Amino acid sequence: MLHVKPEQSQLCEAALIKRVKSGDQAAYTLLCELHIKRVYGICLRLLADQSHAEDAAQEVFVQVWHKVAQFDGRSQFSTWLYSVASNVAINYLRKQKNWLQKVVSIEHSGMDEQSVNDCKGLNGLDKLIVRLPERARMVFVLFAIEGYRHEEIAEQLGMAVGSSKSQYHRARLLLQEWYKNE
């Protein structure tokens, strides 16, 4: 197996990005393959639904193709990409929620246990995260996994900073309780 040092990997990725910016579809395909698992994981954790996560992940890469020229290289490409993925998943959820609220008024919680068990690609903590209620799940994923600050989460989700902290606390308590019972 070929071993690549992290700095070499970043140089390879930088070359791929340059090729993608010039319209090279083969380079775009390689770039997608490098990041698809992580992008899908972010979408699945935020949306707690396999088919929605697949749709959102696909939308992420469509946006990347159209917006890659906006990537200026001041941060790592993965940081920019995962931010795009988070935004797409949150917007996808908002669109779905608006439609669902017109039909039925419910507080959406995460996946039920049967759906979690049927879902391929989920293990460990992810199986518990996708069961969380929507707001708690989104705050937990953005704060604990993606590294956003509560101020950023509050702005992104349209809530108060205190609500973000409260939802994070709620998520942690539920996860701890469920983990004890596993």
Side-chain angles (χ1 to χ4, degrees):
M1 181 174 174
L2 180 65
H3 294 284
V4 179
K5 294 178 183 175
E7 60 272 8
Q8 290 174 320
S9 175
Q10 288 175 353
L11 290 174
C12 293
E13 190 171 81
L16 272 178
I17 293 164
K18 186 175 181 180
R19 288 175 46 200
V20 171
K21 285 182 175 185
S22 69
D24 185 334
Q25 291 183 351
Y28 169 74
T29 301
L30 287 172
L31 197 61
C32 292
E33 289 173 358
L34 284 173
H35 296 282
I36 187 65
K37 286 183 181 178
R38 177 83 195 274
V39 166
Y40 173 74
I42 291 167
C43 293
L44 182 59
R45 286 183 200 104
L46 287 170
L47 298 171
D49 180 284
Q50 278 184 289
S51 65
H52 293 322
E54 289 168 3
D55 291 346
Q58 193 171 31
E59 176 63 26
V60 168
F61 287 106
V62 168
Q63 284 196 20
V64 165
W65 177 255
H66 293 290
K67 293 182 178 184
V68 72
Q70 295 174 8
F71 175 67
D72 58 14
R74 286 187 286 178
S75 64
Q76 288 189 351
F77 177 76
S78 59
T79 303
W80 179 79
L81 174 63
Y82 303 149
S83 175
V84 170
S86 296
N87 289 330
V88 166
I90 289 166
N91 288 335
Y92 188 92
L93 190 60
R94 283 185 185 132
K95 287 177 190 172
Q96 294 296 77
K97 189 175 180 181
N98 287 340
W99 176 84
L100 185 62
Q101 284 178 337
K102 290 176 185 171
V103 178
V104 178
S105 179
I106 59 169
E107 180 190 334
H108 177 65
S109 60
M111 285 185 182
D112 59 56
E113 286 188 60
Q114 184 60 46
S115 297
V116 169
N117 292 332
D118 293 343
C119 188
K120 296 177 181 93
L122 285 178
N123 53 38
L125 184 58
D126 283 337
K127 284 187 173 190
L128 300 177
I129 290 172
V130 296
R131 289 176 48 200
L132 288 168
E134 180 181 292
R135 300 290 265 183
R137 181 181 64 249
M138 292 173 70
V139 170
F140 184 84
V141 169
L142 293 172
F143 183 80
I145 298 174
E146 297 305 314
Y148 286 79
R149 294 183 341 267
H150 283 292
E151 294 78 12
E152 295 169 311
I153 296 167
E155 183 178 327
Q156 200 170 24
L157 299 180
M159 64 172 55
V161 173
S163 296
S164 176
K165 291 177 180 180
S166 174
Q167 289 294 334
Y168 176 71
H169 180 70
R170 178 183 182 201
R172 283 191 51 186
L173 291 176
L174 285 169
L175 291 171
Q176 287 171 349
E177 179 183 325
W178 292 341
Y179 185 75
K180 287 177 188 174
N181 294 329
E182 285 279 309

